[in-house]
Amino acid sequence: QVQLVESGGGLVQAGGSLRLSCAASGRTFSSYAMGWFRQAPGKEREFVAAISWSGGSTYYADSVKGRFTISRDNAKNTVYLQMNSLKPEDTAVYYCAANYTYWGQGTQVTVSS
């Protein structure tokens, strides 16, 4: 069992930056691939970014490529999402997931125009 807690969301102007964190409990964090997803009002949850267990491979949705960076610190049981050049369309609740099985409660990101 893995418990995930996201933090770092908030209100930011377009063009600004935020860094989301996802802290995981459990000793098996380093064995899990981790991902970030988001869900905007009235829309389905969508993939944002993912990182392999070692951090050696990363994957991004086309809509965030070049603006967002996913990283992890296995010593701290934490995965991060650095979000730069934010756009109003990035507004959503952001969730982290471990092995696409365990999910956090989400953190709200709102980008004003």
Side-chain angles (χ1 to χ4, degrees), residues 36-104:
W36 285 96
F37 293 75
R38 66 188 182 186
Q39 187 166 17
K43 296 188 177 181
E44 293 187 352
R45 191 172 298 189
E46 65 175 2
F47 169 78
V48 175
I51 188 166
S52 63
W53 66 271
S54 67
S57 297
T58 56
Y59 311 89
Y60 298 93
D62 287 344
S63 59
V64 306
K65 203 171 292 184
R67 300 188 298 122
F68 291 10
T69 301
I70 188 171
S71 62
R72 68 189 297 162
D73 185 338
N74 286 343
K76 295 182 178 180
N77 278 14
T78 302
V79 63
Y80 305 97
L81 185 68
Q82 177 67 43
M83 306 186 295
N84 299 328
S85 302
L86 283 161
K87 304 175 181 180
E89 51 263 43
D90 294 318
T91 295
V93 177
Y94 283 71
Y95 300 89
C96 71
N99 262 16
Y100 307 103
T101 301
Y102 304 103
W103 295 82

